[in-house]
Amino acid sequence: MGDDLGEEWWKHEGNSDPSEAEEEEHQEKEPTQKTNTKSKAQKRKTETEGPVKTKKKKQQKESVVPQKKDPADGKSPKVKRKRKKTITDVLSSSEPKPGCPEDLQTLVTKYFSDKRSVIEQEELKLSDSSFLSSNDLTHSLSSYLKQVCPKWAKVQKQHTVKSSVVLLIICSSALRTIELIKQLTTFKGEAKALKLFAKHIKVEEQVKLLQKGVTHIGVGTPGRICALIEKEGLNLCALRYLVLDWNWRDQKLRRMVDIPEIKLDFMNLLESGILSGCKEGKIKIGLF
Protein backbone atom coordinates (compact mmCIF):
# COMPACT_ATOMS: atom_id res chain seq x y z
CA MET A 1 0.00 0.00 0.00
CA GLY A 2 1.94 2.92 -1.11
CA ASP A 3 0.96 6.61 -0.99
CA ASP A 4 0.51 8.28 -4.34
CA LEU A 5 2.63 11.40 -4.11
CA GLY A 6 1.96 12.47 -7.64
CA GLU A 7 5.01 14.43 -8.77
CA GLU A 8 8.42 13.46 -7.65
CA TRP A 9 8.90 14.87 -4.18
CA TRP A 10 12.62 15.68 -4.46
CA LYS A 11 12.13 18.17 -7.19
CA HIS A 12 10.18 20.56 -4.89
CA GLU A 13 12.27 20.08 -1.76
CA GLY A 14 14.28 23.24 -2.21
CA ASN A 15 11.31 25.39 -3.31
CA SER A 16 8.57 24.28 -1.08
CA ASP A 17 7.00 27.76 -0.82
CA PRO A 18 7.18 30.33 -3.66
CA SER A 19 6.56 33.30 -1.31
CA GLU A 20 9.62 32.43 0.76
CA ALA A 21 11.74 32.42 -2.36
CA GLU A 22 10.55 35.88 -3.32
CA GLU A 23 11.40 37.19 0.15
CA GLU A 24 14.93 35.82 -0.09
CA GLU A 25 15.42 37.45 -3.46
CA HIS A 26 14.14 40.77 -2.06
CA GLN A 27 16.60 40.59 0.88
CA GLU A 28 19.49 39.96 -1.47
CA LYS A 29 18.60 43.03 -3.54
CA GLU A 30 18.29 45.39 -0.51
CA PRO A 31 21.99 45.76 0.35
CA THR A 32 22.83 46.59 -3.20
CA GLN A 33 20.16 49.25 -3.22
CA LYS A 34 21.48 50.69 0.07
CA THR A 35 24.99 50.91 -1.28
CA ASN A 36 23.64 52.62 -4.34
CA THR A 37 21.77 55.13 -2.20
CA LYS A 38 24.92 55.79 -0.09
CA SER A 39 27.02 56.34 -3.12
CA LYS A 40 24.45 58.74 -4.50
CA ALA A 41 24.39 60.68 -1.19
CA GLN A 42 28.20 60.91 -1.15
CA LYS A 43 28.16 62.12 -4.73
CA ARG A 44 25.66 64.81 -3.78
CA LYS A 45 27.88 65.93 -0.87
CA THR A 46 30.94 66.13 -3.01
CA GLU A 47 29.02 67.97 -5.65
CA THR A 48 27.73 70.46 -3.06
CA GLU A 49 31.14 70.89 -1.34
CA GLY A 50 33.02 71.44 -4.56
CA PRO A 51 31.38 74.69 -5.68
CA VAL A 52 31.45 76.14 -2.10
CA LYS A 53 35.24 75.92 -1.99
CA THR A 54 35.51 77.46 -5.38
CA LYS A 55 33.22 80.27 -4.25
CA LYS A 56 35.46 80.97 -1.23
CA LYS A 57 38.50 81.06 -3.45
CA LYS A 58 36.74 83.42 -5.79
CA GLN A 59 35.78 85.67 -2.85
CA GLN A 60 39.39 85.70 -1.62
CA LYS A 61 40.63 86.57 -5.06
CA GLU A 62 38.11 89.37 -5.34
CA SER A 63 39.12 90.81 -1.92
CA VAL A 64 42.78 91.25 -2.97
CA VAL A 65 43.27 94.79 -4.23
CA PRO A 66 45.64 94.86 -7.18
CA GLN A 67 48.62 97.18 -6.71
CA LYS A 68 49.28 99.86 -9.21
CA LYS A 69 52.31 99.28 -11.33
CA ASP A 70 54.46 101.66 -13.16
CA PRO A 71 54.00 101.32 -16.92
CA ALA A 72 57.76 101.63 -17.48
CA ASP A 73 59.16 99.24 -14.87
CA GLY A 74 56.18 97.01 -14.34
CA LYS A 75 56.93 97.13 -10.56
CA SER A 76 54.70 98.48 -7.80
CA PRO A 77 55.88 101.87 -6.48
CA LYS A 78 57.32 101.97 -2.94
CA VAL A 79 56.18 104.69 -0.55
CA LYS A 80 59.22 106.33 1.09
CA ARG A 81 58.75 107.58 4.64
CA LYS A 82 60.54 110.70 5.70
CA ARG A 83 63.15 110.00 8.37
CA LYS A 84 63.10 112.22 11.42
CA LYS A 85 66.11 114.49 11.75
CA THR A 86 68.44 113.73 14.63
CA ILE A 87 70.78 116.08 16.47
CA THR A 88 73.62 114.73 14.33
CA ASP A 89 71.77 115.63 11.11
CA VAL A 90 71.01 119.15 12.30
CA LEU A 91 74.53 119.82 13.53
CA SER A 92 76.20 118.36 10.46
CA SER A 93 74.23 120.68 8.20
CA SER A 94 74.96 123.76 10.33
CA GLU A 95 78.30 125.51 10.70
CA PRO A 96 79.97 125.29 14.12
CA LYS A 97 79.52 128.46 16.17
CA PRO A 98 81.53 129.31 19.26
CA GLY A 99 79.60 129.28 22.51
CA CYS A 100 78.84 132.49 24.36
CA PRO A 101 77.39 133.39 27.81
CA GLU A 102 73.94 133.84 26.28
CA ASP A 103 73.91 130.16 25.25
CA LEU A 104 74.46 129.10 28.84
CA GLN A 105 71.83 131.53 30.12
CA THR A 106 69.17 130.27 27.70
CA LEU A 107 70.03 126.67 28.56
CA VAL A 108 69.60 127.32 32.27
CA THR A 109 66.32 129.23 31.87
CA LYS A 110 64.81 126.52 29.61
CA TYR A 111 65.80 123.75 31.99
CA PHE A 112 64.40 125.44 35.11
CA SER A 113 61.33 126.98 33.41
CA ASP A 114 58.99 124.25 34.72
CA LYS A 115 60.95 123.58 37.92
CA ARG A 116 61.23 127.04 39.47
CA SER A 117 58.91 129.95 40.03
CA VAL A 118 59.30 133.21 38.13
CA ILE A 119 61.10 134.85 41.06
CA GLU A 120 63.50 131.90 41.44
CA GLN A 121 64.25 131.98 37.72
CA GLU A 122 65.26 135.61 38.00
CA GLU A 123 67.72 134.65 40.73
CA LEU A 124 69.35 132.11 38.39
CA LYS A 125 70.34 134.79 35.87
CA LEU A 126 74.02 135.75 35.97
CA SER A 127 75.58 139.09 35.16
CA ASP A 128 78.19 139.57 32.45
CA SER A 129 80.89 140.01 35.10
CA SER A 130 80.38 136.35 36.09
CA PHE A 131 81.81 135.16 32.75
CA LEU A 132 85.30 134.92 31.32
CA SER A 133 85.99 135.55 27.65
CA SER A 134 84.81 132.65 25.46
CA ASN A 135 86.86 130.55 23.07
CA ASP A 136 86.52 131.68 19.44
CA LEU A 137 87.50 128.19 18.17
CA THR A 138 91.07 129.29 17.48
CA HIS A 139 92.58 128.46 20.89
CA SER A 140 94.01 125.31 22.35
CA LEU A 141 93.21 124.66 26.00
CA SER A 142 96.57 125.97 27.21
CA SER A 143 96.41 129.16 25.14
CA TYR A 144 92.83 129.79 26.26
CA LEU A 145 93.69 129.34 29.94
CA LYS A 146 96.69 131.67 29.59
CA GLN A 147 94.31 134.28 28.23
CA VAL A 148 91.66 133.99 30.95
CA CYS A 149 94.13 133.28 33.82
CA PRO A 150 97.11 135.54 33.13
CA LYS A 151 98.32 135.44 36.77
CA TRP A 152 98.17 131.67 37.11
CA ALA A 153 101.69 131.27 38.53
CA LYS A 154 100.81 133.56 41.44
CA VAL A 155 97.38 131.96 41.97
CA GLN A 156 98.74 128.43 42.20
CA LYS A 157 101.39 129.42 44.75
CA GLN A 158 98.77 131.03 46.99
CA HIS A 159 96.54 127.95 46.94
CA THR A 160 97.18 125.75 49.99
CA VAL A 161 93.71 124.32 50.76
CA LYS A 162 93.23 120.55 50.61
CA SER A 163 90.09 118.91 49.16
CA SER A 164 89.54 121.92 46.94
CA VAL A 165 90.77 123.19 43.56
CA VAL A 166 91.34 126.62 42.01
CA LEU A 167 90.48 125.62 38.45
CA LEU A 168 87.74 123.12 37.58
CA ILE A 169 87.30 121.92 33.98
CA ILE A 170 84.04 120.15 33.09
CA CYS A 171 83.87 117.77 30.11
CA SER A 172 81.65 114.96 28.84
CA SER A 173 83.64 111.71 29.23
CA ALA A 174 86.66 110.00 30.73
CA LEU A 175 88.50 109.89 27.39
CA ARG A 176 87.96 113.59 26.92
CA THR A 177 89.28 114.19 30.44
CA ILE A 178 92.55 112.45 29.61
CA GLU A 179 92.90 114.46 26.39
CA LEU A 180 92.40 117.76 28.23
CA ILE A 181 94.92 116.87 30.94
CA LYS A 182 97.52 116.20 28.22
CA GLN A 183 96.80 119.64 26.75
CA LEU A 184 97.46 121.29 30.13
CA THR A 185 101.19 120.59 30.13
CA THR A 186 102.25 123.99 28.78
CA PHE A 187 99.93 125.86 31.13
CA LYS A 188 99.88 124.21 34.53
CA GLY A 189 103.61 124.49 35.34
CA GLU A 190 104.15 122.97 38.79
CA ALA A 191 100.45 122.72 39.53
CA LYS A 192 98.92 119.35 40.32
CA ALA A 193 96.00 118.17 38.16
CA LEU A 194 93.63 115.36 39.12
CA LYS A 195 91.31 113.24 36.98
CA LEU A 196 87.74 113.29 38.32
CA PHE A 197 85.68 110.73 36.43
CA ALA A 198 83.89 107.50 37.32
CA LYS A 199 85.51 105.04 34.91
CA HIS A 200 87.71 102.48 36.77
CA ILE A 201 88.13 104.87 39.73
CA LYS A 202 86.10 104.66 42.95
CA VAL A 203 84.81 107.75 44.72
CA GLU A 204 86.60 106.79 47.93
CA GLU A 205 89.96 106.67 46.15
CA GLN A 206 89.45 110.15 44.71
CA VAL A 207 88.41 111.49 48.11
CA LYS A 208 91.67 110.17 49.61
CA LEU A 209 93.71 111.74 46.80
CA LEU A 210 92.04 115.13 47.36
CA GLN A 211 92.61 114.94 51.12
CA LYS A 212 96.19 113.74 50.79
CA GLY A 213 97.70 116.84 49.23
CA VAL A 214 96.97 120.16 47.54
CA THR A 215 95.33 119.87 44.13
CA HIS A 216 95.23 122.92 41.89
CA ILE A 217 93.28 121.70 38.84
CA GLY A 218 90.43 119.23 38.62
CA VAL A 219 89.30 117.83 35.26
CA GLY A 220 86.31 115.53 35.04
CA THR A 221 82.67 114.78 34.34
CA PRO A 222 79.81 116.61 36.09
CA GLY A 223 78.36 113.37 37.48
CA ARG A 224 81.50 112.37 39.40
CA ILE A 225 82.19 115.94 40.56
CA CYS A 226 78.64 116.14 41.97
CA ALA A 227 79.20 112.83 43.78
CA LEU A 228 82.45 114.14 45.32
CA ILE A 229 80.71 117.32 46.51
CA GLU A 230 77.85 115.33 48.05
CA LYS A 231 80.31 113.09 49.96
CA GLU A 232 82.26 116.18 51.08
CA GLY A 233 85.36 114.91 49.32
CA LEU A 234 85.48 118.09 47.24
CA ASN A 235 84.49 121.57 48.37
CA LEU A 236 84.24 124.77 46.34
CA CYS A 237 85.70 127.18 48.87
CA ALA A 238 88.91 127.80 46.87
CA LEU A 239 87.34 127.56 43.38
CA ARG A 240 87.90 130.65 41.22
CA TYR A 241 87.60 129.44 37.61
CA LEU A 242 85.05 127.04 36.14
CA VAL A 243 85.84 126.19 32.49
CA LEU A 244 83.26 124.31 30.42
CA ASP A 245 84.34 122.17 27.47
CA TRP A 246 81.45 123.74 25.56
CA ASN A 247 82.44 123.65 21.89
CA TRP A 248 83.86 120.12 21.69
CA ARG A 249 81.69 117.53 19.90
CA ASP A 250 81.79 113.73 19.97
CA GLN A 251 81.50 111.33 17.00
CA LYS A 252 77.77 112.06 16.76
CA LEU A 253 78.54 115.81 16.72
CA ARG A 254 76.93 116.28 20.14
CA ARG A 255 78.17 118.84 22.62
CA MET A 256 78.36 118.09 26.32
CA VAL A 257 75.01 119.77 26.96
CA ASP A 258 73.33 117.89 24.08
CA ILE A 259 73.63 114.56 25.92
CA PRO A 260 70.61 114.28 28.29
CA GLU A 261 72.26 112.46 31.23
CA ILE A 262 75.32 114.75 31.20
CA LYS A 263 73.09 117.79 30.90
CA LEU A 264 71.17 116.68 34.00
CA ASP A 265 74.38 116.19 36.01
CA PHE A 266 75.66 119.55 34.81
CA MET A 267 72.52 121.34 36.02
CA ASN A 268 72.83 119.61 39.39
CA LEU A 269 76.44 120.80 39.56
CA LEU A 270 75.40 124.40 38.91
CA GLU A 271 72.89 124.15 41.75
CA SER A 272 75.42 122.63 44.16
CA GLY A 273 77.13 125.98 44.74
CA ILE A 274 78.42 127.21 41.38
CA LEU A 275 75.58 129.67 40.70
CA SER A 276 75.67 131.04 44.24
CA GLY A 277 79.47 131.46 43.99
CA CYS A 278 79.03 133.38 40.73
CA LYS A 279 76.42 135.63 42.36
CA GLU A 280 78.88 136.41 45.15
CA GLY A 281 81.65 137.17 42.65
CA LYS A 282 83.92 134.32 43.79
CA ILE A 283 83.63 132.11 40.69
CA LYS A 284 83.90 133.00 37.03
CA ILE A 285 82.69 130.75 34.19
CA GLY A 286 84.49 130.34 30.86
CA LEU A 287 83.23 128.55 27.73
CA PHE A 288 86.08 126.78 25.96
Side-chain angles (χ1 to χ4, degrees):
M1 294 178 64
D3 294 332
D4 189 8
L5 297 174
E7 294 179 357
E8 293 177 355
W9 59 270
W10 60 84
K11 292 181 181 179
H12 302 285
E13 188 176 1
N15 296 323
S16 61
D17 191 357
S19 63
E20 290 178 359
E22 289 176 1
E23 286 178 0
E24 288 176 357
E25 288 177 2
H26 183 67
Q27 287 177 359
E28 289 175 358
K29 290 178 181 178
E30 277 181 354
T32 57
Q33 289 176 358
K34 285 180 181 178
T35 53
N36 291 331
T37 54
K38 285 182 180 178
S39 62
K40 287 179 182 179
Q42 290 175 356
K43 285 179 181 179
R44 286 174 185 171
K45 284 184 180 180
T46 53
E47 286 175 0
T48 54
E49 288 175 357
V52 171
K53 290 181 180 178
T54 55
K55 284 180 182 178
K56 287 182 179 178
K57 288 181 179 178
K58 286 180 181 180
Q59 289 176 359
Q60 289 176 358
K61 287 180 181 178
E62 288 174 359
S63 62
V64 176
V65 179
Q67 294 181 352
K68 294 181 179 179
K69 296 183 179 180
D70 290 336
D73 300 334
K75 296 180 181 179
S76 57
K78 293 181 180 180
V79 179
K80 292 184 179 180
R81 294 182 179 179
K82 290 184 178 180
R83 187 172 63 88
K84 291 183 179 180
K85 288 186 177 181
T86 59
I87 296 173
T88 306
D89 296 332
V90 175
L91 294 175
S92 60
S93 60
S94 60
E95 294 181 0
K97 295 180 180 179
C100 61
E102 292 179 0
D103 295 336
L104 180 60
Q105 292 278 24
T106 53
L107 180 72
V108 172
T109 52
K110 283 182 181 179
Y111 180 80
F112 291 107
S113 60
D114 57 346
K115 300 176 180 63
R116 298 286 186 274
S117 63
V118 179
I119 298 171
E120 288 175 339
Q121 288 180 30
E122 289 293 329
E123 293 176 355
L124 294 173
K125 290 182 179 180
L126 301 175
S127 61
D128 294 337
S129 60
S130 300
F131 291 94
L132 301 167
S133 61
S134 301
N135 180 21
D136 57 357
L137 303 182
T138 60
H139 286 282
S140 65
L141 181 60
S142 292
S143 63
Y144 174 73
L145 292 175
K146 286 177 181 178
Q147 181 182 349
V148 297
C149 307
K151 297 180 181 180
W152 174 249
K154 183 180 179 180
V155 170
Q156 72 169 17
K157 287 180 181 179
Q158 292 176 350
H159 175 62
T160 57
V161 182
K162 294 181 180 181
S163 300
S164 186
V165 295
V166 180
L167 171 62
L168 192 59
I169 302 172
I170 310 297
C171 59
S172 59
S173 65
L175 292 174
R176 182 60 179 165
T177 300
I178 295 169
E179 289 178 8
L180 292 175
I181 287 176
K182 288 179 181 178
Q183 294 179 22
L184 285 172
T185 50
T186 57
F187 168 77
K188 67 178 183 178
E190 297 178 358
K192 182 182 177 181
L194 191 63
K195 296 176 286 188
L196 303 176
F197 54 78
K199 194 172 185 180
H200 308 305
I201 304 174
K202 295 181 179 179
V203 182
E204 291 77 13
E205 293 177 3
Q206 291 174 341
V207 170
K208 289 179 181 179
L209 289 171
L210 288 166
Q211 292 174 349
K212 189 176 180 180
V214 178
T215 305
H216 303 85
I217 305 170
V219 186
T221 57
R224 177 46 61 94
I225 293 169
C226 283
L228 290 168
I229 293 171
E230 288 175 1
K231 294 195 174 187
E232 297 182 354
L234 176 68
N235 61 67
L236 305 177
C237 62
L239 183 63
R240 293 182 61 180
Y241 305 103
L242 178 71
V243 176
L244 308 177
D245 190 23
W246 187 272
N247 298 303
W248 184 81
R249 299 180 188 274
D250 61 5
Q251 292 180 349
K252 296 181 179 180
L253 301 178
R254 298 177 300 177
R255 299 173 301 171
M256 176 179 66
V257 293
D258 293 328
I259 304 169
E261 56 270 19
I262 297 175
K263 179 182 175 181
L264 178 62
D265 293 335
F266 174 63
M267 292 300 169
N268 292 332
L269 177 61
L270 292 180
E271 284 189 296
S272 64
I274 299 295
L275 292 176
S276 60
C278 292
K279 287 279 187 181
E280 295 171 2
K282 295 179 180 179
I283 302 172
K284 292 185 182 295
I285 300 175
L287 276 64
F288 171 65

